[in-house]
Amino acid sequence: MPQTVASLKPLSIHATGAVDAQVFGARGARLARLAALGLDVPQALVYPPKLVDAIADGAEITWPDALGGQVLALRAAPQEAEWGGPESLLPIGVAADTLDHFIATRGEVEALRLQLQCIRNLGAAVSGATRNSIAPPPQSGDSAADLHHQIQTAREAYQAETEDAFPDTATGQLRAALRHMARGWHSASARILRAAKGAPEDAGLAIIAQVLVPNCRTGRLQFVDQSSGQAQLVGYVLQDGKEHPLSELSARECAALKALEAPLTRGHADACRVKFALDATGKPWLTDVRPAQRSARATLRIAVDLAKSELISREDALLRIEPRSLAEHLHHQIDPDETRDVVTTAMPASPGAATGRIVLSAQAAMAAEAQGEAAILVRHETSPEDIRGMHSSVGVLTIRGGMTSHAAVIARGLGLPCVVGAAELRLDMKARSFRGPKGRIFSEGDIITIDGTSGEVINGTCKMIAPDLGGPFTVLMSWADKVRSIGVRANADTPTDARAARSFNVDGIGLCRTEHMFFEPERITVMREMILADDAASRAEVLQRLLPMQRADFIDLFDIMRGLPVTIRLLDPPLHEFLPHEPDELEHLARVMNVGIDDVRARAAELAEVNPMLGMRGVRLGITMPEIYDMQARAIFQAAVAINAQGGAPVVPEIMIPLVSANREVELVKERVDAIAAAVQAETGSSFAYKLGVMVETPRAALRAKDLAKSSAFLSFGTNDLTQMTYGLSRDDAGRFMRDYVQRGVFAEDPFHTLDLEGVGELLVMAARRGRDTNPDLVLGLCGEHGGDPAAVRFCRLAGFDYVSCSPFRVPIARLAAAQASILAERGAALK
């Protein structure tokens, strides 16, 4: 028995009162909002989900009185647009019992064209046949006689396909159309498709029956340019089946469309795009509204403009921007309309895009720069020896490595586009080329483009969009700084890095990796002499030559960052990283040291370790070769004295000891650093303050933070190594299988890309609590690459950290994430 639907009636979108999207569907709710704003919307009724379910079960319906004498369009309106739904059906309602009315009001030819389209479209939907198998589309020159013949043929085709007569009443057509759409929503395939898109099992469908504007031209329009976000009428109007630019409309019609912008923007507190119909008089009727399509850059401009117009608050403007999207403002990006010949896709290690000639060595990169040519440095993986070449390149591509590999970390610091872990490429250094998938070969000198935002390696050149750091970007960042309550420092290793960081309005330097100061050509050889020295006395002698170089660097850093804290990490990497690998460099070093090449090789062999990342590095160097840290401490203090002598805010250096596991390590280093400080003060007759802290990179350091806090003014968490050691993963090699692990659900995300809150995060919280139990004034920071991860920034604020530190070009991302964390926390507190 058909269900009774006496208590279930279609609802008018023009009814007053609150509109529930669960009843009206997303599109119905949008139409109701347009009507509530007083805008012209064609009359429409919404069949709510319960009524649609009843129709699917066979409930009888009648033609609604409110829509009598009109041609209708039926459109699906699920609660969430992404759930999909049956295709729209239109026109509906031109049948034997209404044809005379439409002939009288629209003319015979137009009425017959509508009737033919009705049979053609509804017939194809109900029967499952194609439209053309029911009837070809009507032509502009068809006469009334032609159309009568086509209608009769279409009726016969429909009956042949369905073994039933085409409904010859308006109510019959509406019933058939509604039933087809309702049952289609409940089909097994439709259920599976929307379940895959996250819809609940009992998701309902509303159906909109809307009057079709007679003799109209339809179109689409938005009021901002989707690339820039600047105010502009963008869209088209359909006429004779073709899209025509809005510029072909009359001045009166354009003005009528332009007049819609203000009420739409005010009513939705956003830039909008609309579907519209222009009637015979040129009046626009709105049939749908959505947020305007926009790029990341346009999103920022729109949010700022809305806040300036006081349509939304500054806080809401900040919350509307995805922090990572700021990368599109900071770096060159490939034009979204550009066609890409993608060679392979790997890990997007540093955002931005660059085009250049392939070079396979640091020397080749420097030579290309000298000749004014852009170069993409391609390596199996980079090492400290490649830093000079990275400085000379416009982008870096490596075959191995992950998000915290050497190439990734350095590239982010330099603001270079970088793609790592391109395992599908086979690099052949002898042939000076690499082979890609499908046997494609690229030789040194060929031009490629890399997209560090998407991880794509692309053949040839691509049109680029330049960075945009002015106007709305600057305004938004100033708003972010006014509300954030956690500091954002930069990882900066050189004066160049520090200047870049300062331009991004940082709160100081949270990590200066001093090893990166030694790779300039005039320094690396001296550093290697020190490493290969036979004893402490010989090392100390060479270190005296490095002292003025280090001091000059620190003077520059302190000067650039004047008034802001600077955290300097003492030498961390294993010494083998500084040694040459190429035969010509080994021979050069032997000549400089005036020893035989075999002696150099033998000394290098003595320093070799099975697992150097867990060997003689970090604080272990400072304890076993204390003269190295002595030199660095002296250089730091002498630089502080030099800057303080110039007046202004005094420099208070923050010296950080890397890779600590036990408090005794801190005590041993602290004794020598304190002694060096006293010596420099005595030698110069100057006094200065300084802080000594620990870089927490080992799980044991996190567990024993209560002990470490006794000797430390601050704890800074190096989450790159802490993640590596907590998981037992090599951050340089994990990229080979990490994608499989994420796809199979072993890890929700790459833990080197997004901070692992459950494991590593628990260590951070535990260490923070234990450290401050011992020392309530203990300063807490995070200086790993996770410092630029928005989720990690929010976590650090909740955990009571004082600051995060990240690569200079990720500083704006961290500043915005910090502001959002503060806003959300305050709003959460207000709700309580």
Side-chain angles (χ1 to χ4, degrees):
M1 294 278 300
Q3 293 184 34
T4 175
V5 290
S7 61
L8 296 174
K9 296 180 180 180
L11 308 169
S12 173
I13 64 161
H14 289 83
T16 57
V19 173
D20 186 350
Q22 290 184 336
V23 175
F24 277 66
R27 182 167 186 160
R30 295 197 299 269
L31 289 174
R33 186 170 188 177
L34 289 173
L37 292 173
L39 296 167
D40 292 311
V41 182
Q43 193 172 14
L45 296 179
V46 175
Y47 290 78
K50 289 184 179 179
L51 179 53
V52 171
D53 290 344
I55 292 169
D57 290 338
E60 292 297 325
I61 62 164
T62 59
W63 188 277
D65 293 338
L67 303 180
Q70 304 289 344
V71 183
L72 303 182
L74 299 187
R75 299 186 175 94
Q79 185 180 340
E80 300 290 342
E82 59 267 23
W83 295 351
E87 291 186 3
S88 299
L89 285 177
L90 70 156
I92 299 294
V94 185
D97 62 339
T98 59
L99 184 60
D100 288 345
H101 164 73
F102 290 118
I103 290 174
T105 56
R106 305 193 184 202
E108 184 178 16
V109 170
E110 177 61 20
L112 291 173
R113 285 171 62 87
L114 284 170
Q115 187 179 26
L116 178 60
Q117 289 173 339
C118 185
I119 299 171
R120 183 172 181 265
N121 296 344
L122 179 57
V126 172
S127 69
T130 65
R131 289 184 175 88
N132 285 343
S133 68
I134 299 294
Q139 303 299 310
S140 58
D142 289 341
S143 66
D146 294 332
L147 291 166
H148 275 297
H149 174 70
Q150 292 171 37
I151 288 169
Q152 182 58 36
T153 302
R155 288 179 183 277
E156 293 171 358
Y158 177 87
Q159 186 155 7
E161 291 284 351
T162 64
E163 299 182 355
D164 199 1
F166 186 79
D168 218 5
T169 65
T171 297
Q173 289 180 7
L174 180 63
R175 182 185 303 119
L178 284 170
R179 190 164 295 162
H180 168 75
M181 295 177 72
R183 290 177 175 173
W185 176 257
H186 289 291
S187 69
S189 59
R191 288 176 182 271
I192 292 170
L193 286 173
R194 64 175 176 267
K197 297 174 182 177
E201 188 175 344
D202 61 349
L205 175 73
I207 297 177
I208 302 168
Q210 187 167 36
V211 171
L212 283 174
V213 178
N215 302 313
C216 72
R217 293 160 290 159
T218 60
R220 299 192 179 199
L221 163 70
Q222 71 176 42
F223 301 96
V224 294
D225 178 78
Q226 83 174 60
S227 295
S228 68
Q230 293 179 324
Q232 182 179 342
L233 283 182
V234 181
Y236 64 85
V237 64
L238 283 173
Q239 193 165 349
D240 300 325
K242 296 180 181 179
E243 293 182 5
H244 295 264
L246 297 178
S247 58
E248 294 184 8
L249 295 175
S250 69
R252 183 169 56 85
E253 289 170 330
C254 283
L257 290 173
K258 176 66 176 174
L260 296 170
E261 179 181 10
L264 282 168
T265 304
R266 285 196 305 270
H268 293 85
D270 199 0
C272 297
R273 60 186 166 108
V274 295
K275 292 181 180 178
F276 64 89
L278 288 173
D279 65 19
T281 70
K283 176 181 177 178
W285 295 79
L286 300 182
T287 58
D288 199 7
V289 62
R290 293 283 188 90
Q293 294 177 318
R294 65 199 77 185
S295 67
R297 297 187 185 200
T299 298
L300 192 151
R301 176 180 288 274
I302 291 167
V304 170
D305 287 347
L306 290 170
K308 285 184 174 180
S309 301
E310 298 185 347
L311 295 177
I312 62 174
S313 67
R314 291 181 177 183
E315 289 77 13
D316 285 330
L318 289 165
L319 291 174
R320 288 190 179 191
I321 310 302
E322 163 56 42
R324 285 196 178 94
S325 71
L326 295 182
E328 294 203 14
H329 294 262
L330 304 173
H331 309 277
H332 281 87
Q333 301 290 334
I334 298 174
D335 189 316
D337 296 328
E338 185 78 330
T339 300
R340 302 186 182 202
D341 177 11
V342 178
V343 178
T344 188
T345 300
M347 301 183 74
S350 182
T355 296
R357 296 190 180 277
I358 296 169
V359 296
L360 301 181
S361 68
Q363 292 75 16
M366 290 185 285
E369 182 186 35
Q371 296 169 13
E373 290 190 346
I376 304 289
L377 179 62
V378 182
R379 303 286 284 163
H380 279 109
E381 56 189 339
T382 61
S383 69
E385 288 180 286
D386 292 309
I387 289 178
R388 289 170 289 166
M390 294 175 73
H391 275 277
S392 299
S393 303
V394 297
V396 180
L397 167 64
T398 67
I399 311 304
R400 296 191 289 266
M403 295 300 294
T404 55
S405 63
H406 179 271
V409 172
I410 300 302
R412 284 194 289 267
L414 298 174
L416 282 178
C418 180
V419 174
V420 301
E424 288 188 316
L425 305 181
R426 296 290 179 266
L427 182 58
D428 187 340
M429 294 301 292
K430 289 185 178 179
R432 310 298 292 177
S433 66
F434 64 78
R435 180 186 297 270
K438 300 180 181 178
R440 304 178 72 177
I441 296 177
F442 295 83
S443 300
E444 192 165 27
D446 289 347
I447 294 177
I448 61 172
T449 299
I450 62 170
D451 187 342
T453 304
S454 68
E456 292 177 335
V457 180
I458 302 162
N459 179 37
T461 61
C462 290
K463 183 180 178 182
M464 299 286 179
I465 299 175
D468 181 11
L469 302 180
F473 177 87
T474 301
V475 171
L476 189 86
M477 287 293 96
S478 69
W479 293 348
D481 288 338
K482 289 177 181 176
V483 299
R484 63 182 172 92
S485 57
I486 185 172
V488 178
R489 301 189 190 182
N491 300 342
D493 310 323
T494 66
T496 300
D497 296 339
R499 292 187 189 94
R502 190 88 201 218
S503 71
F504 288 128
N505 199 30
V506 294
D507 299 317
I509 292 178
L511 173 63
C512 171
R513 294 160 288 205
T514 53
E515 58 271 13
H516 292 164
M517 298 175 171
F518 295 118
F519 289 100
E520 294 299 323
E522 68 276 10
R523 301 185 182 192
I524 188 65
T525 299
V526 181
M527 185 66 176
R528 287 167 174 171
E529 287 184 62
M530 187 275 295
I531 293 170
L532 297 177
D534 291 328
D535 51 45
S538 300
R539 277 195 299 273
E541 182 180 340
V542 181
L543 285 167
Q544 284 301 307
R545 291 157 56 196
L546 286 173
L547 175 63
M549 301 176 189
Q550 284 264 274
R551 182 173 59 239
D553 286 332
F554 295 138
I555 287 174
D556 284 343
L557 284 181
F558 293 151
D559 187 39
I560 294 166
M561 306 303 294
R562 189 182 289 267
L564 299 175
V566 176
T567 304
I568 299 169
R569 184 179 73 182
L570 300 175
L571 195 66
D572 177 50
L575 296 180
H576 81 280
E577 287 193 3
F578 296 95
L579 296 179
H581 302 288
E582 301 297 328
D584 57 339
E585 291 189 321
L586 284 168
E587 292 175 2
H588 172 72
L589 182 59
R591 286 194 302 271
V592 169
M593 295 185 66
N594 194 27
V595 296
I597 184 68
D598 290 339
D599 293 332
V600 173
R601 290 196 181 106
R603 180 66 179 133
E606 290 177 15
L607 293 173
E609 296 178 288
V610 174
N611 192 342
M613 295 308 293
L614 297 179
M616 181 76 78
R617 56 167 288 215
V619 69
R620 299 153 198 170
L621 283 173
I623 291 173
T624 59
M625 298 181 180
E627 56 274 8
I628 297 177
Y629 281 10
D630 287 354
M631 180 276 291
Q632 292 192 296
R634 182 173 291 276
I636 292 168
F637 295 139
Q638 288 178 347
V641 169
I643 292 297
N644 289 343
Q646 299 173 11
V651 172
V652 182
E654 299 182 359
I655 300 175
M656 185 158 63
I657 309 170
L659 209 70
V660 166
S661 296
N663 187 48
R664 182 57 181 159
E665 292 172 314
V666 183
E667 292 174 343
L668 290 171
V669 173
K670 187 176 187 302
E671 289 173 6
R672 297 190 71 102
V673 170
D674 289 345
I676 296 292
V680 171
Q681 288 175 332
E683 293 163 5
T684 61
S686 302
S687 62
F688 51 81
Y690 62 93
K691 298 178 181 179
L692 189 74
V694 165
M695 192 172 189
V696 178
E697 304 169 84
T698 67
R700 191 179 194 280
L703 293 170
R704 302 305 301 171
K706 187 177 185 72
D707 294 338
L708 299 179
K710 297 174 184 176
S711 308
S712 304
F714 62 89
L715 299 182
S716 184
F717 294 83
T719 52
N720 300 350
D721 269 345
L722 186 56
T723 298
Q724 179 171 243
M725 295 187 192
T726 301
Y727 274 87
L729 287 173
S730 166
R731 69 192 202 193
D732 295 311
D733 299 315
R736 297 181 182 181
F737 59 84
M738 188 56 67
R739 188 176 301 173
D740 290 337
Y741 259 51
V742 172
Q743 289 176 347
R744 292 171 180 265
V746 179
F747 301 150
E749 298 283 350
D750 180 344
F752 294 111
H753 187 224
T754 298
L755 183 65
D756 164 37
L757 301 184
E758 294 177 347
V760 178
E762 186 171 353
L763 283 173
L764 265 61
V765 171
M766 185 186 303
R769 186 180 300 118
R770 292 180 179 181
R772 283 192 169 151
D773 282 346
T774 297
N775 179 3
D777 297 325
L778 187 69
V779 174
L780 299 173
L782 185 152
C783 63
E785 283 301 305
H786 293 106
D789 171 27
V793 174
R794 292 190 288 269
F795 170 82
C796 287
R797 187 195 180 279
L798 290 171
F801 279 44
D802 297 285
Y803 67 87
V804 296
S805 186
C806 56
S807 302
F809 285 88
R810 300 182 81 183
V811 163
I813 295 171
R815 286 162 59 196
L816 177 56
Q820 292 178 346
S822 294
I823 294 168
L824 293 173
E826 289 175 6
R827 291 185 177 182
L831 290 174
K832 293 177 181 179

